[in-house]
Amino acid sequence: MEETPESTPRKRISESTIHRLSLYFRALSLLEKENYETVSSKELAKREKLTPAQVRKDLSFFGSFGTRGLGYPVTELKARVSRILGIDRVWRVALIGIGNIGSALVSYKEFIKQGFHIVKLFDNDQRKIGSNHKGIIVSDIKNLKTELHEDNIEMVVIAVPATVAQYIVDDVVEANIKAILNFAPINLKVPPDVHVRNENMAMELEYLSFAMVNNHMPKGAGKN
Amino acid sequence: MEETPESTPRKRISESTIHRLSLYFRALSLLEKENYETVSSKELAKREKLTPAQVRKDLSFFGSFGTRGLGYPVTELKARVSRILGIDRVWRVALIGIGNIGSALVSYKEFIKQGFHIVKLFDNDQRKIGSNHKGIIVSDIKNLKTELHEDNIEMVVIAVPATVAQYIVDDVVEANIKAILNFAPINLKVPPDVHVRNENMAMELEYLSFAMVNNHMPKGAGKN
DNA sequence: ATCTACATGTGAAATGCTTCACAATAGGTG
DNA sequence: CACCTATTGTGAAGCATTTCACATGTAGAT
């Protein structure tokens, strides 16, 4: 049979597909631990509450990784998915804002597991600057631009209050960073070539609230 | 002109619309602080990087809140959106797992602001049980079921390791809780009438990673 | 060698979501 | 009052995503 290497696809891949790739990755990691050699789209779908057709279609955007009658080879597919997601490498990440959220993220295991290494911390609070968090010394945010550059940072996580987030992002953008994960509940303005993803933890609680007061049935209810 | 009270709509509201309601709410809160009396769909859209048509369509699912030629009354629309989302009230929330993430969430301001009151904490670690976090004493997870019930908890936030999350959720479900926000990177199995929303912070970094290695243009790039 | 069971990969259909475009209408101006 | 500008609310069109359904292919059993 022919090798089909995963490749950058011609068509634009949807946001949902990319998010599902993350789900496949985590399911495959587990399957690998459980010593599965192959897995069907059906099983993969069941584990992440998706449909088999969706799993197959998602994967098919990137190549043809399975064997008819058998399914997908777990270890190999995991490697391919991690390659597609770009997490088959280490990313150098800086974290700005060592408050509640920031402190939690420094020790967040899932980041490390997936190659996101927080190697730099920034804050503006004199009591925090110079202190040590998990082996990293907190830098003064005044030196943001120069230090981001000197340390070859590729991604930045913003965990500062909404009121100052935009000013900080402006500096981050000037430091030529192209990927920002934002925890501040505000819409950041950046140039068109900078990627921003927002993490808004209250939003999902609001969704639950909405669902409760509107008897919104959970997705997939009544399918089993 | 006629009053159009917001009402539970006939059609199923999409997940994206609900999430955008959260964005409208936060934009309106800001506009209110800035003493705007009215706001157009155009301005609202600009502030949250959406399109005016989308704003109008989203709102129209719930009623007719604006005035042609003028826009929407800020304070009133905010009140209506918060009512639609069910955040015009207090929700009694329990938080399970007082690790990195859990500790951060106890002090997370956005929750309180929107009516999500964490009134109960649980952990299984003897060193943590009995300790005081922001005025709340950590309970033993052994008493989960009874205490959730006795304290009229309506929502639960799960911030425990993935390996034990399912066991805990089983108890939560038995305690008749219908809304769960899950921070563990695992797909929780629950009965069809229980709402689960997942918060996976690594997922958004993976998206950024994908975007970077695939020169995936940011959404909306080239529109300005 | 043939048959059966299983499962992928994929066009095409179905469904869902977003954007368009315009009638309706409010408010201001002369 | 007539007119002009601004902006909503909404069917309908356009576009995107999901699901269907089946041809294709593999492995194992007899």
Side-chain angles (χ1 to χ4, degrees):
Chain A
M1 202 193 90
E2 253 191 85
E3 256 298 275
T4 314
E6 73 275 5
S7 54
T8 307
R10 38 261 150 240
K11 270 199 59 171
R12 195 193 159 84
I13 299 299
S14 78
E15 179 165 330
S16 340
T17 293
I18 302 170
H19 276 148
R20 283 193 298 269
L21 289 178
S22 294
L23 300 182
Y24 303 147
F25 179 77
R26 99 180 165 188
L28 289 164
S29 303
L30 214 53
L31 284 159
E32 194 178 43
K33 260 196 212 147
E34 295 169 16
N35 293 311
Y36 280 72
E37 302 226 319
T38 59
V39 62
S40 63
S41 57
K42 194 175 160 197
E43 172 70 14
L44 214 36
K46 192 182 135 215
R47 292 196 171 216
E48 295 294 343
K49 224 178 261 155
L50 304 165
T51 66
Q54 190 151 61
V55 173
R56 297 201 298 276
K57 174 85 35 172
D58 283 340
L59 296 176
S60 79
F61 290 139
F62 301 95
S64 182
F65 307 141
T67 308
R68 284 159 204 248
L70 246 196
Y72 301 91
V74 170
T75 302
E76 192 192 319
L77 183 59
K78 175 174 167 245
R80 282 169 184 269
V81 171
S82 88
R83 182 107 171 282
I84 293 165
L85 283 173
I87 55 175
D88 59 337
R89 48 159 285 181
V90 166
W91 289 94
R92 293 175 66 78
V93 179
L95 169 60
I96 309 180
I98 319 299
N100 293 315
I101 305 286
S103 310
L105 295 177
V106 179
S107 326
Y108 190 51
K109 300 283 187 350
E110 293 298 309
F111 283 176
I112 286 276
K113 272 195 211 162
Q114 299 178 24
F116 301 106
H117 289 199
I118 294 178
V119 294
K120 204 92 188 134
L121 302 176
F122 292 93
D123 205 292
N124 70 341
D125 183 338
Q126 289 305 324
R127 285 164 302 181
K128 287 175 187 161
I129 295 167
S131 72
N132 184 319
H133 284 247
K134 297 273 163 180
I136 309 167
I137 306 294
V138 178
S139 297
D140 191 329
I141 198 155
K142 278 182 189 142
N143 308 321
L144 187 61
K145 267 196 277 181
T146 50
E147 294 195 19
L148 285 180
H149 184 255
E150 281 166 13
D151 273 302
N152 295 304
I153 301 299
E154 299 161 290
M155 291 183 179
V156 158
V157 177
I158 303 227
V160 302
T163 44
V164 298
Q166 184 63 57
Y167 304 119
I168 288 172
V169 165
D170 292 344
D171 273 5
V172 168
V173 166
E174 278 192 51
N176 211 33
I177 301 291
K178 300 296 186 201
I180 298 171
L181 179 60
N182 172 41
F183 281 82
I186 187 181
N187 177 35
L188 297 171
K189 310 276 187 222
V190 296
D193 65 328
V194 176
H195 299 270
V196 177
R197 302 293 303 179
N198 297 296
E199 195 75 67
N200 184 337
M201 298 184 292
M203 225 178 209
E204 294 297 338
L205 276 184
E206 286 169 20
Y207 188 103
L208 287 173
S209 165
F210 174 87
M212 301 274 274
V213 299
N214 295 278
N215 325 326
H216 209 256
M217 272 294 107
K219 263 217 296 205
K223 279 195 191 161
N224 309 327
Chain B
M1 202 192 92
E2 253 191 86
E3 256 296 275
T4 314
E6 74 275 6
S7 55
T8 307
R10 37 263 152 235
K11 272 200 58 176
R12 196 195 158 81
I13 300 299
S14 79
E15 179 163 328
S16 339
T17 293
I18 301 170
H19 276 150
R20 283 192 299 269
L21 289 178
S22 294
L23 300 182
Y24 303 146
F25 179 77
R26 98 180 166 190
L28 289 163
S29 303
L30 214 53
L31 284 159
E32 195 178 43
K33 261 196 213 147
E34 296 169 17
N35 293 313
Y36 280 72
E37 301 227 320
T38 59
V39 62
S40 64
S41 58
K42 194 175 161 198
E43 172 70 15
L44 215 35
K46 191 183 134 214
R47 293 197 171 214
E48 295 294 343
K49 223 178 263 157
L50 303 165
T51 66
Q54 190 150 62
V55 173
R56 295 200 300 276
K57 176 113 328 185
D58 282 340
L59 296 176
S60 79
F61 290 138
F62 301 95
S64 184
F65 307 141
T67 307
R68 285 160 204 248
L70 246 196
Y72 301 91
V74 170
T75 302
E76 191 192 318
L77 183 59
K78 176 174 167 245
R80 281 169 185 267
V81 170
S82 88
R83 182 107 172 281
I84 293 166
L85 282 172
I87 56 175
D88 58 338
R89 47 158 287 179
V90 166
W91 289 95
R92 293 176 65 79
V93 179
L95 169 60
I96 309 180
I98 317 298
N100 292 315
I101 305 283
S103 310
L105 295 178
V106 179
S107 327
Y108 191 51
K109 300 284 189 347
E110 293 299 309
F111 284 176
I112 286 277
K113 270 194 214 165
Q114 298 177 24
F116 300 106
H117 289 199
I118 295 179
V119 293
K120 203 91 188 134
L121 302 175
F122 292 94
D123 206 293
N124 69 341
D125 184 337
Q126 288 305 326
R127 286 165 301 180
K128 287 174 189 163
I129 295 168
S131 73
N132 184 319
H133 284 246
K134 296 275 162 180
I136 308 167
I137 306 295
V138 178
S139 297
D140 192 329
I141 198 156
K142 276 182 190 143
N143 308 321
L144 187 59
K145 266 196 277 182
T146 49
E147 293 195 19
L148 285 181
H149 185 256
E150 282 166 12
D151 273 302
N152 295 304
I153 301 300
E154 299 160 290
M155 292 184 179
V156 158
V157 178
I158 302 227
V160 302
T163 43
V164 298
Q166 184 63 58
Y167 304 118
I168 287 171
V169 165
D170 291 344
D171 274 4
V172 168
V173 166
E174 278 191 51
N176 210 33
I177 300 291
K178 301 297 186 199
I180 298 171
L181 178 60
N182 172 42
F183 281 83
I186 186 180
N187 177 35
L188 298 172
K189 310 277 188 220
V190 295
D193 65 328
V194 176
H195 301 270
V196 177
R197 302 293 302 179
N198 296 295
E199 194 75 67
N200 185 336
M201 297 183 293
M203 224 178 209
E204 294 296 341
L205 276 184
E206 286 168 22
Y207 188 104
L208 287 172
S209 165
F210 174 89
M212 301 274 275
V213 299
N214 294 278
N215 324 326
H216 208 257
M217 272 295 106
K219 261 215 299 203
K223 279 195 192 161
N224 311 327

